[in-house]
Amino acid sequence: MAFATRHFVRAAASSSAAAAAATAAAKKLVVKHVTVIGGGLMGAGIAQVAAASGHTVVLVDQSDEILKKSTKGIEESLKRVTKKKFADKPEAGAEFIEKTLKNLSTSTDAVAVVHSTDLVIEAIVENQEIKNELFKRLDKFAPEHTIFASNTSSLQITQLANSTTRQDRFGGLHFFNPVPMMKLVEVIKTPMTSQKTFESLVDFSKAVGKSPVSCKDTPGFIVNRLLVPYMMEAVRLFERGDASKEDIDVAMKLGAGYPMGPFELLDYVGLDTRWHSLEPNNPLFAPSPLLNKLVEEKKLGKKTGEGFYKYK
């Protein structure tokens, strides 16, 4: 009887331990340390909102020169934020900037900094091969618990995840430009993304002050899937001579309540964004001769001083 009792106790203890282990395995990861790869507008913006919300952030790029420019941009952005957020409390604003910058550091060595990170967010050039190579390399050095995410707007998250051995800990975090101002984040779940990973990404998005929406790994996700055909149809309307670009912009702002017209938005986003790659066989995403001509002439929008419109 004593043997049976001891056996029962051991079995119960073993069962409890297994249950505890299963619970721990299913527990969501609370992201505290973030590594952002890419110091451009998107990467710097993501680093800023993560640092401002109390996360420890390392911003990574290829050179110290790029990172100095990124840090300066973040400081200027924080000053604009504090002017509105702490209009009547300049001291609190200064403290907010100081605290945010203390949470932020920079590095040119991605491999070295991923050793102690919870989340890697990639925001580099929209090139499948380059992104795959980056994730493949970092996968070898990041801890097992680390989640990988891409900020891509045009590439398939599943293909990026397949370059790693952590497909279950891989998802999409699509922020919008300018990151400090835009409230939306599209959280992309691939067929391999675990529920724990997905929930951790949603929680992180909320923690940095954003409103997350969920989408499967479909071309363009939600926003670009709807927005790109709209912008391309506006270009085709103009190409056919049915209306001027100025009147199309005014019509959509006053008639549909959009903050920008389609041509203003195209110039803001950049005319060299590869919308056609979202779904090459879909006529809604078909390239435009006029758009191609502007790109060939290096008239890419606001960033080059001219696109559909000229900028000083």
Side-chain angles (χ1 to χ4, degrees), residues 82-83 85-99:
T82 53
K83 269 188 177 181
K85 191 174 181 180
F86 302 97
D88 302 324
K89 300 177 181 178
E91 289 183 4
E95 186 181 340
F96 170 74
I97 292 174
E98 184 183 358
K99 192 174 180 181

Side-chain angles (χ1 to χ4, degrees), residues 224-225 227-237 239-240 266 271 273-293 308:
N224 285 332
R225 180 75 181 204
L227 188 61
V228 174
Y230 152 72
M231 293 191 296
M232 294 308 298
E233 187 56 29
V235 174
R236 287 188 277 268
L237 194 67
E239 280 180 321
R240 292 193 300 266
L266 279 161
L271 305 189
T273 304
R274 295 169 60 231
W275 302 121
H276 179 55
S277 65
L278 288 174
E279 205 166 18
N281 297 321
N282 188 334
L284 293 174
F285 293 87
S288 147
L290 174 57
L291 202 54
N292 290 343
K293 182 175 180 292
F308 284 103

Side-chain angles (χ1 to χ4, degrees), residues 26-295:
K27 195 174 181 181
K28 289 183 291 184
L29 171 68
V30 178
V31 174
K32 296 180 180 179
H33 190 293
V34 184
T35 299
V36 180
I37 313 291
L41 279 176
M42 294 305 297
I46 294 167
Q48 177 183 322
V49 297
S53 53
H55 297 83
T56 301
V57 182
V58 181
L59 180 61
V60 180
D61 213 304
Q62 294 177 321
S63 72
D64 289 324
E65 185 180 350
I66 294 172
L67 290 168
K68 282 179 184 176
K69 185 178 178 182
S70 302
T71 303
K72 185 180 179 182
I74 289 171
E75 289 177 5
E76 290 173 354
S77 177
L78 285 169
K79 287 175 184 176
R80 289 193 294 271
V81 169
T82 53
K83 269 188 177 181
K84 293 182 180 179
K85 191 174 181 180
F86 302 97
D88 302 324
K89 300 177 181 178
E91 289 183 4
E95 186 181 340
F96 170 74
I97 292 174
E98 184 183 358
K99 192 174 180 181
T100 299
L101 293 176
K102 276 186 179 180
N103 290 335
L104 178 67
S105 61
T106 61
S107 175
T108 56
D109 190 346
V111 167
V113 299
V114 297
H115 280 290
S116 58
T117 195
D118 299 317
L119 173 63
V120 173
I121 304 176
E122 168 273 315
I124 63 173
V125 62
E126 286 287 84
N127 181 292
Q128 181 85 50
E129 189 176 336
I130 294 174
K131 288 180 189 285
N132 280 347
E133 183 57 37
L134 172 70
F135 282 124
K136 184 179 180 181
R137 184 158 55 95
L138 297 185
D139 188 42
K140 298 173 183 176
F141 298 96
E144 187 178 345
H145 77 276
T146 303
I147 295 171
F148 282 9
S150 176
N151 183 60
T152 183
S153 60
S154 63
L155 300 176
Q156 192 179 44
I157 301 296
T158 302
Q159 290 183 356
L160 297 174
N162 283 339
S163 65
T164 74
T165 60
R166 61 184 74 218
Q167 290 95 334
D168 61 322
R169 287 152 286 154
F170 203 115
L173 275 180
H174 185 214
F175 289 79
F176 290 79
N177 188 34
V179 177
M181 303 297 293
M182 299 293 280
K183 296 291 289 183
L184 183 68
V185 175
E186 292 177 319
V187 181
I188 313 306
K189 185 178 183 182
T190 77
M192 303 96 74
T193 307
S194 71
Q195 184 63 21
K196 179 175 75 169
T197 295
F198 171 72
E199 291 176 5
S200 295
L201 292 174
V202 168
D203 288 350
F204 170 74
S205 302
K206 292 177 180 177
V208 299
K210 303 304 179 186
S211 298
V213 295
S214 171
C215 185
K216 291 182 179 179
D217 192 16
T218 185
F221 312 137
I222 297 173
V223 173
N224 285 332
R225 180 75 181 204
L226 299 175
L227 188 61
V228 174
Y230 152 72
M231 293 191 296
M232 294 308 298
E233 187 56 29
V235 174
R236 287 188 277 268
L237 194 67
F238 175 48
E239 280 180 321
R240 292 193 300 266
D242 293 337
S244 71
K245 58 182 183 290
E246 292 83 3
D247 282 352
I248 293 170
D249 277 349
V250 169
M252 294 311 295
K253 285 189 287 186
L254 301 186
Y258 288 9
M260 288 186 196
F263 294 97
E264 293 171 322
L265 183 56
L266 279 161
D267 276 357
Y268 182 79
V269 172
L271 305 189
D272 55 336
T273 304
R274 295 169 60 231
W275 302 121
H276 179 55
S277 65
L278 288 174
E279 205 166 18
N281 297 321
N282 188 334
L284 293 174
F285 293 87
S288 147
L290 174 57
L291 202 54
N292 290 343
K293 182 175 180 292
L294 289 171
V295 171

